[in-house]
Amino acid sequence: MTQAAAEVLAAKVKTIIRDVPDFPKKGIVFKDITPLLADPAAFAEMIKHFAAQYRNAGITKVLGIEARGFLLAAPIAMELGAGLIPVRKKGKLPYKTISASYDLEYGTDTLEMHADAVAAGEKVLIVDDVLATGGTAAAVCALAEKLGGKVAGVAMLIELEFLNGRSKLAGRDIHSLIKY
Ligand code: AMP
């Protein structure tokens, strides 16, 4: 996809994503991607756009972050011919796990991945819907690297630039389609 085509797609997707003020709490503008998921043409075009970014990157695993990240990571993984790895909140995965914690506004949260999800040297792509402060994506990078994986890219549908999430992901290859 050319830069111009990507800009047209980004502008279209921006009109489809819905802003929900004060969800889940006052002061947060929630970026609701469900209208995009429900629009088959725009959803397919968006997935193809992300797959094209990484087509020749040698990615063998796509890590989707619970829960909306799963919905984007699964079709991207299929397009790339890569495996899909769910990264979940603590206590949800049934087998042996590894974990990484990160700071929230109040307290910490923990993400887990199966201990055999990534082999040493494998190239992985990390996928989520929104890059906000970057804490979640940084924790997932740490999970992949604990197993010896190489983070080939961080793909985010939406980037909230005013939260400066990139500062927690210094040196990473980050791609976002839409920026606010
Ligand atoms: P962060 O760790 O601050 O980068 O937050 C990223 C996670 O929180 C992602 O899994 C997002 O889905 C979610 N998130 C953060 N801010 C928003 C927002 N304004 N709208 C929707 N999801 C958000």
Side-chain angles (χ1 to χ4, degrees):
M1 187 179 279
T2 63
Q3 180 65 27
E7 280 169 21
V8 171
L9 174 64
K12 182 161 87 183
V13 170
K14 225 173 186 172
T15 66
I16 298 172
I17 287 167
R18 176 165 55 197
D19 279 2
V20 183
D22 298 323
F23 183 89
K25 57 182 181 182
K26 212 167 171 52
I28 304 280
V29 179
F30 192 86
K31 298 295 181 189
D32 177 15
I33 67 164
T34 62
L36 175 64
L37 301 174
D39 182 325
F43 184 46
E45 205 185 337
M46 181 272 290
I47 294 298
K48 286 201 165 66
H49 166 78
F50 277 99
Q53 297 291 321
Y54 302 101
R55 181 83 61 201
N56 301 311
I59 286 158
T60 51
K61 295 281 165 61
V62 177
L63 276 50
I65 305 176
E66 182 166 353
R68 292 179 299 280
F70 297 164
L71 304 169
L72 310 180
I76 292 170
M78 290 194 81
E79 281 281 329
L80 291 176
L84 172 67
I85 304 297
V87 175
R88 302 210 59 182
K89 300 273 169 63
K90 194 178 167 64
K92 300 283 188 188
L93 286 167
Y95 183 61
K96 203 173 136 194
T97 56
I98 58 162
S99 66
S101 295
Y102 58 102
D103 290 329
L104 298 172
E105 195 178 350
Y106 304 103
T108 64
D109 215 342
T110 301
L111 290 172
E112 293 183 335
M113 188 169 76
H114 274 151
D116 61 354
V118 174
E122 254 190 307
K123 286 190 181 170
V124 308
L125 173 67
I126 292 168
V127 176
D128 204 359
D129 63 337
V130 176
L131 177 63
T133 67
T136 306
V140 179
C141 290
L143 282 179
E145 288 170 351
K146 264 189 195 180
L147 296 178
K150 302 215 176 327
V151 178
V154 176
M156 297 282 162
L157 175 58
I158 299 162
E159 178 175 358
L160 304 178
E161 289 183 303
F162 54 92
L163 294 174
N164 200 23
R166 282 180 188 250
S167 66
K168 288 208 180 73
L169 298 166
R172 307 284 184 195
D173 181 312
I174 305 164
H175 175 72
S176 58
L177 179 64
I178 299 169
K179 296 168 176 60
Y180 293 93

